[in-house]
């Protein structure tokens, strides 16, 4: 399992609801946390590691030792959004790129945890921003889609570089073609339980 760079097609995938919480899923979650900490992130969505399921992990402290801050969101739904705010965001699928993104200032979110328990939070500040960013991932929506006009314009060349690099990797054979990758995602969707590909 690896963190996939933009524009890998998994990042534009609208992910499917998770039907069952099992040992495969628990292993995937553990590995996602490991990858997230190694990349110095605070959140990671399943489609960023090539799994088309509605799941993300979060640790706002970014500290692997701070297990109490670890949260797993399975099948999350943002029920309410209030206000509007701009702030800087990065994304592990766009390493090194940061820009101003518009988000709701406050949200209410519900999800299931790894024990299958439903939980809900009212969030603001960084937590609200991170949950909106990660929930967007599950719908194939990226932070570049929600940037301010200025940030989108300024970062356009950087985004283009990510695209050029990924297409180069595809022609080198480091990644298969989009067609093959999409076929793999479709196959995984209809074939739970989760199988984490290396
Ligand atoms: Zn992201």
């Amino acid at each position: 399992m690896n963190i996939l760079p933009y524009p890998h097609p998994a990042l534009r995938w609208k992910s499917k609801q998770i039907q069952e919480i099992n040992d495969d899923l628990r292993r995937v979650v553990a590995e996602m946390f490991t990858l997230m900490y190694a990349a110095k992130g605070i959140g990671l969505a399943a489609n960023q590691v090539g799994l088309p399921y509605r799941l993300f992990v979060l640790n706002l402290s970014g500290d692997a030792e701070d297990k109490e801050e670890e949260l797993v969101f399975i099948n999350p739904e943002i029920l309410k959004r209030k206000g509007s705010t701009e702030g800087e965001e990065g994304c592990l699928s766009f390493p090194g790129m940061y820009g101003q993104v518009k988000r709701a200032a406050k949200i209410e979110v519900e999800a299931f945890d790894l024990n299958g328990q439903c939980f809900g939070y009212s969030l603001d500040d960084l937590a609200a921003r991170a949950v909106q960013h990660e929930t967007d991932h599950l719908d194939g929506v990226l932070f570049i889609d929600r940037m301010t006009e200025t940030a989108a314009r300024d970062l356009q060349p950087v985004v283009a570089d990510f695209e050029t690099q990924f297409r180069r990797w595809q022609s080198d054979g480091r990644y298969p073609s989009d067609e093959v990758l999409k076929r793999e995602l479709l196959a995984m969707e209809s074939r739970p339980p989760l199988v984490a590909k290396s």
Side-chain angles (χ1 to χ4, degrees):
M1 215 156 100
N2 288 300
I3 298 178
L4 304 171
Y6 176 81
H8 190 293
L11 298 171
R12 287 301 190 187
W13 208 257
K14 187 161 167 45
S15 295
K16 285 279 179 296
Q17 298 271 355
I18 288 173
Q19 304 296 340
E20 191 194 339
I21 297 166
N22 55 26
D23 285 344
D24 280 339
L25 187 69
R26 279 182 272 271
R27 270 193 295 274
V28 162
V29 165
E31 202 173 335
M32 283 173 66
F33 273 115
T34 303
L35 287 169
M36 183 187 85
Y37 293 129
K40 305 209 181 305
I42 59 168
L44 185 65
N47 44 345
Q48 289 182 278
V49 295
L51 298 172
Y53 308 108
R54 300 189 78 80
L55 155 77
F56 66 83
V57 300
L58 202 70
N59 181 338
L60 295 178
S61 79
D63 181 355
E65 304 300 311
D66 207 349
K67 299 286 175 214
E68 285 191 0
E69 291 297 308
E70 288 188 349
L71 290 171
V72 179
F73 287 73
I74 295 168
N75 300 339
E77 298 284 348
I78 295 178
L79 304 172
K80 280 188 188 163
R81 300 168 192 264
K82 254 196 196 164
S84 168
T85 176
E86 281 180 20
E88 192 180 68
E89 291 183 22
C91 178
L92 295 179
S93 294
F94 297 77
M97 190 177 101
Y98 300 89
Q100 290 290 117
V101 180
K102 291 181 242 181
R103 298 286 181 193
K106 293 184 179 185
I107 60 164
E108 282 178 28
V109 61
E110 264 185 19
F112 293 88
D113 65 18
L114 266 186
N115 300 314
Q117 299 292 316
C118 186
F119 64 90
Y121 287 121
S122 295
L123 302 173
D124 57 12
D125 294 328
L126 177 65
R129 181 169 293 280
V131 165
Q132 290 174 83
H133 179 117
E134 300 307 331
T135 305
D136 266 357
H137 270 303
L138 306 182
D139 291 321
V141 175
L142 297 168
F143 78 148
I144 52 174
D145 306 330
R146 299 204 190 275
M147 277 188 182
T148 62
E149 256 178 61
T150 319
R153 194 175 49 235
D154 292 351
L155 291 171
Q156 212 292 316
V158 186
V159 173
D161 284 348
F162 279 111
E163 284 165 2
T164 308
Q165 179 64 71
F166 191 72
R167 300 305 169 209
R168 198 175 295 144
W169 281 332
Q170 283 179 313
S171 36
D172 291 353
R174 175 164 164 180
Y175 287 97
S177 67
D178 279 10
E179 289 65 37
V180 171
L181 291 170
K182 284 179 190 171
R183 224 179 298 138
E184 287 176 359
L185 287 160
L186 256 183
M188 266 188 275
E189 249 184 10
S190 54
R191 172 168 45 80
L194 301 163
V195 179
K197 299 189 72 180
S198 57

